[in-house]
């Protein structure tokens, strides 16, 4: 394991206790860290000081498009979102502190994990960017899982690459670099081809002892594709793997102009290794050490448990990834989270406008979520699937949003909303049941973050019922992955300045960032636990209906 023992004392931790300074002074002196995360529906830039306190934020809303059967974003959209989120943050700095932002201490980029971006030597994108949402790689994923005896999900980069090989895609002859969205942005801004180990774990299987791509599996893959006669070896076209605390590169003059169209930002700013949203979620919830876990609930929903030992066998429902320092992590990942839930809330918003009593969206979410607490613990026989796309955990390559009930179900608004809130955790719970019940994975704490937890005491209560364990939501949970990426950037900068021995990421987070942060913990209610188990049984039984909907609804 290429990481420092998190239990050691802080000898030599000279830069760990950053002197607290005025916020404006910190910005002027560049004692700041910037995290930018490309989420499914929003790109968010978060500027913090080196203790993790948020100073300014910027947003850029966007949405993926289904083009020729591929879920994608164009390069123009990616670039516009990068600039837009930074511009929003820069404007926030100006409004709050009357400072024209010219530098930051460090930058880190994160994004939705997985997917496929292939470039030639000139940096030209050779085929449309395929996001994690695409499930057109079943044959590739199945063959690689058998070859490696290791679960290779459909959305992983190597699945997309091998599917292109199976399909004899012409662009493969000209491939020079295959990567993910966050790694692409880092290259765009620094010129360097690398990524963090957590993100790399969604590209190709990682050996946690070396914190690099698994050499034996890489050899098997190269032998498999050798008859194709490509001029490249697989490792040569994938990003170099870095761990938290290493320097990924420096902002170039060209990169500075791309990021900041006002022309005020200076070049030379160091970059932390980019990470996927799984890794930044771990950091944002201080869930990077063994026996910790977190659940990120948003457009996609995933649960990650940091392991003490390997699982007993391969499960197609469970991804094996790593923390940003290389610890093995078992992940239950659902492509579909709150998208359908959000769609129903928007429908109620439309009704409120039609009735002449428009309600603020934040208030509407709170009203509907809190009313769900009045529902039956098992949702009264109501069932829903928010499957906008395929779902690997339940082995469906396509999805259709579906709501169903029996004639004698208790059909009311509270149960309706509760069923959709449960369903947003439904697929993830199936994976967690494997880890917690079948494998007996030990977890000391589970933390929740993401949009599902914005209404206090609701999503948190339901997650506690789903895992039958206490769930903590930190006061910083709403900052999410971009804040986690800013923390990784701050850690890299402080470690760089220390010059020598420095605390592990696990220890630094525990003792320097989260020690004084507050949060709330909800214990599982036995009635809710029993009710969620009943709902889950219905959820499993009803998958045949979801499958039939996929097969029959082709218009």
């Amino acid at each position: 394991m290429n990481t420092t023992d998190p239990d050691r004392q802080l000898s030599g931790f000279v830069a760990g206790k950053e002197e607290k300074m005025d916020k404006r002074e910190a910005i002027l002196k560049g004692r700041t860290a910037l995290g930018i995360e490309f989420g499914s529906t929003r790109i968010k830039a978060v500027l913090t000081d080196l203790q993790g306190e948020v100073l300014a934020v910027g947003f850029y809303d966007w949405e993926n498009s289904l083009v020729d059967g591929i879920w994608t974003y164009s390069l123009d959209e990616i670039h516009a979102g990068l600039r837009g989120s930074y511009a929003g943050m820069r404007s926030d700095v100006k409004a709050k502190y009357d400072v024209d932002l010219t530098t930051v201490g460090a930058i880190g980029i994160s994004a939705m994990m997985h997917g496929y971006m292939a470039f030639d030597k000139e940096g030209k994108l050779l085929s449309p960017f395929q996001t994690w949402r695409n499930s057109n790689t079943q044959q590739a994923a199945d063959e690689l899982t058998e070859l490696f005896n290791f679960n290779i999900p459909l959305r992983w980069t190597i699945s997309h690459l091998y599917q292109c090989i199976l399909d004899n895609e012409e662009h493969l002859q000209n491939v020079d670099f295959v990567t993910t969205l966050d790694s692409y942005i880092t290259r765009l801004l620094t010129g360097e081809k690398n990524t963090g180990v957590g993100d790399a774990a969604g590209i190709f299987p990682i050996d946690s002892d070396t914190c690099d791509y698994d050499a034996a599996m890489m050899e098997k893959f190269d032998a498999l594709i050798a008859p194709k006669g490509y001029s490249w070896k697989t490792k040569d076209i994938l990003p170099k793997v870095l761990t938290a605390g290493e320097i990924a590169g420096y902002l170039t003059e060209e990169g500075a102009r791309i990021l900041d169209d006002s022309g005020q930002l200076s070049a030379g700013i160091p970059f932390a290794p980019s990470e996927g949203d799984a890794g930044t979620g771990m950091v944002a919830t201080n869930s990077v050490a063994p026996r910790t876990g977190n659940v990120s609930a948003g457009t996609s929903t995933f649960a990650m448990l940091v392991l003490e030992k390997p699982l007993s066998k391969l499960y197609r429902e469970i991804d094996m990834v790593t923390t940003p320092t290389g610890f093995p992590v078992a992940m239950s990942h659902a492509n579909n989270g709150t998208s359908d839930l959000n769609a129903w809330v928007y429908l109620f918003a439309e009704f409120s406008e039609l009735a002449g009593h428009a309600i603020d969206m934040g208030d509407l979410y709170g009203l509907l979520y809190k009313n769900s607490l009045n529902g039956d613990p098992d949702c009264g026989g109501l069932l829903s699937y928010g499957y906008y796309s395929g779902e690997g955990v339940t082995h469906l390559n396509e999805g259709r949003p579906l709501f169903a009930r029996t004639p004698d179900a208790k059909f009311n608004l509270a149960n309706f909303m509760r069923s959709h809130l449960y369903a947003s955790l439904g697929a993830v719970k199936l994976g967690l049941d494997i880890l917690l019940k079948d494998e007996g994975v030990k977890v000391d704490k589970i933390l929740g973050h993401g949009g599902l937890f914005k209404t206090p005491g609701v999503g948190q209560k339901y997650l506690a019922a789903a895992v039958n364990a206490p769930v903590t939501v930190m006061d910083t949970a709403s900052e999410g992955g971009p804040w986690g990426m800013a923390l990784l950037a701050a850690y890299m900068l402080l470690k760089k300045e220390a010059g020598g021995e420095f605390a592990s990421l696990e220890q630094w987070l525990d003792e320097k960032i989260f020690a004084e942060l507050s949060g709330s913990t909800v214990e599982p209610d036995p009635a809710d636990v029993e009710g969620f188990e009943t709902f889950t049984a219905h959820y499993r039984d009803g998958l045949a209906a979801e499958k039939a909907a996929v097969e029959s609804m082709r218009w």
Side-chain angles (χ1 to χ4, degrees):
M1 180 76 61
N2 184 21
T3 186
T4 308
D5 179 0
D7 294 325
R8 72 170 176 80
Q9 296 298 311
L10 284 175
S11 58
F13 190 11
V14 294
K17 192 169 181 62
E18 173 76 9
E19 277 299 318
K20 193 69 178 173
M21 61 177 66
D22 173 82
K23 294 178 181 180
R24 189 173 188 274
E25 182 184 6
I27 293 170
L28 288 169
K29 292 185 176 181
R31 305 304 295 165
T32 54
L34 172 63
I36 301 177
E37 182 160 288
F38 288 71
S40 300
T41 58
R42 169 169 281 188
I43 303 168
K44 185 176 181 181
V46 172
L47 185 71
T48 72
D49 63 19
L50 298 185
Q51 295 82 31
E53 183 174 350
V54 175
L55 303 176
V57 297
F59 304 97
Y60 185 92
D61 291 326
W62 68 342
E63 185 58 71
N64 56 187
S65 302
L66 187 62
V67 180
D68 297 328
I70 298 296
W71 290 104
T72 190
Y73 303 87
S74 70
L75 286 185
D76 286 344
E77 290 176 302
I78 292 169
H79 296 170
L82 175 66
R83 287 191 296 270
S85 62
Y86 180 85
M89 181 277 299
R90 185 187 67 223
S91 296
D92 197 27
V93 168
K94 180 67 173 178
K96 289 178 176 177
Y97 310 105
D98 193 26
V99 172
D100 292 317
L101 192 63
T102 61
T103 191
V104 298
I107 299 175
I109 304 295
S110 56
M112 305 163 280
M113 285 181 70
H114 318 301
Y116 180 77
M117 302 186 80
F119 299 89
D120 64 14
K121 290 183 178 180
E122 283 70 46
K124 177 185 177 183
L125 186 66
L126 296 174
S127 66
F129 166 39
Q130 298 195 45
T131 75
W132 56 270
R133 180 168 266 177
N134 291 287
S135 54
N136 56 331
T137 57
Q138 186 72 62
Q139 181 183 356
D142 287 347
E143 290 186 13
L144 293 178
T145 296
E146 183 176 357
L147 178 69
F148 298 152
N149 191 33
F150 184 96
N151 183 38
I152 304 297
L154 277 67
R155 63 188 174 278
W156 279 27
T157 305
I158 194 63
S159 293
H160 286 286
L161 174 61
Y162 187 46
Q163 192 65 53
C164 290
I165 292 171
L166 291 173
D167 295 340
N168 294 308
E169 294 276 354
E170 292 184 6
H171 76 266
L172 294 171
Q173 300 292 341
N174 299 316
V175 161
D176 179 68
F177 186 42
V178 169
T179 196
T180 54
L181 178 56
D182 56 277
S183 174
Y184 163 68
I185 297 296
T186 295
R187 183 195 179 189
L188 182 72
L189 300 179
T190 68
E192 302 293 339
K193 299 178 182 179
N194 55 52
T195 195
V197 65
D199 183 59
I203 295 175
F204 193 93
I206 291 292
D207 179 346
S208 284
D209 290 330
T210 64
C211 287
D212 202 352
Y213 302 117
D214 188 287
M217 294 185 194
M218 188 72 74
E219 187 176 342
K220 287 182 179 180
F221 185 74
D222 280 334
L224 176 67
I225 67 173
K228 293 290 185 178
Y230 298 125
S231 60
W232 43 264
K233 291 289 186 180
T234 308
K235 189 170 184 178
D236 295 336
I237 64 171
L238 298 182
K240 180 181 178 182
V241 182
L242 303 176
T243 56
E246 294 188 84
I247 299 173
Y250 295 86
L251 184 65
T252 63
E253 291 287 353
E254 181 182 6
R257 301 292 80 77
I258 292 172
L259 181 57
D260 180 13
D261 54 14
S262 75
Q264 295 176 308
L265 187 64
S266 300
I269 299 168
F271 272 62
S274 64
E275 270 298 345
D277 49 2
T280 59
M282 295 179 211
V283 172
T285 55
N286 194 22
S287 304
V288 293
R291 296 178 68 105
T292 62
N294 80 91
V295 175
S296 173
T299 306
S300 63
T301 300
F302 46 87
M304 293 166 288
L305 307 183
V306 187
L307 302 180
E308 294 180 287
K309 61 182 181 179
L311 300 181
S312 66
K313 62 181 181 179
L314 180 154
Y315 295 95
R316 288 307 300 268
E317 299 87 353
I318 303 298
D319 296 10
M320 291 304 302
V321 293
T322 79
T323 69
T325 54
F327 281 114
V329 175
M331 175 195 289
S332 172
H333 184 289
N335 288 344
N336 301 281
T338 58
S339 293
D340 194 42
L341 174 61
N342 293 336
W344 284 107
V345 175
Y346 289 135
L347 187 70
F348 288 119
E350 185 178 346
F351 172 75
S352 71
E353 291 179 6
L354 185 64
H357 301 284
I359 304 175
D360 174 81
M361 287 303 296
D363 293 339
L364 182 58
Y365 270 101
L367 192 67
L368 292 170
Y369 278 32
K370 290 176 182 177
N371 184 58
S372 74
L373 297 172
N374 298 318
D376 294 294
D378 64 354
C379 304
L382 277 58
L383 181 63
S384 65
Y385 298 92
Y387 287 14
Y388 273 58
S389 60
E391 191 55 78
V393 174
T394 53
H395 309 292
L396 289 171
N397 290 341
E398 294 182 55
R400 300 291 185 274
L402 180 68
F403 171 73
R405 59 189 173 101
T406 58
D408 61 345
K410 298 177 182 178
F411 186 43
N412 55 49
L413 182 59
N415 280 336
F416 180 81
M417 288 305 301
R418 190 164 181 138
S419 72
H420 283 85
L421 284 157
Y422 274 24
S424 68
L425 297 169
V428 158
K429 176 168 169 54
L430 297 181
L432 279 171
D433 282 351
I434 291 172
L435 297 173
L436 298 174
K437 296 178 181 180
D438 299 343
E439 285 286 328
V441 172
K442 302 300 181 185
V443 182
D444 293 330
K445 60 179 181 177
I446 292 181
L447 291 98
H449 66 111
L452 186 69
F453 305 106
K454 286 185 179 179
T455 300
V458 181
Q460 186 177 5
K461 176 180 174 70
Y462 298 152
L463 177 58
V467 299
N468 193 18
V471 171
T472 299
V473 174
M474 305 297 297
D475 292 342
T476 54
S478 62
E479 302 300 342
W483 182 65
M485 192 65 245
L487 291 180
L488 286 171
Y491 176 72
M492 179 276 299
L493 180 61
L494 292 172
K495 185 173 182 179
K496 171 179 177 288
E497 292 176 348
E501 188 177 3
F502 197 75
S504 68
L505 176 66
E506 296 81 16
Q507 190 177 11
W508 180 74
L509 289 174
D510 205 40
E511 299 187 9
K512 299 300 177 181
I513 299 299
F514 286 89
E516 298 181 5
L517 293 179
S518 60
S520 63
T521 300
V522 169
E523 299 286 336
D525 183 318
D528 288 340
V529 173
E530 183 180 353
F532 211 127
E533 290 299 326
T534 300
F535 177 85
T536 302
H538 295 165
Y539 189 92
R540 284 195 179 95
D541 293 342
L543 285 169
E546 172 65 20
K547 183 177 180 181
V550 171
E551 293 172 348
S552 60
M553 296 174 66
R554 295 289 181 184
W555 57 83

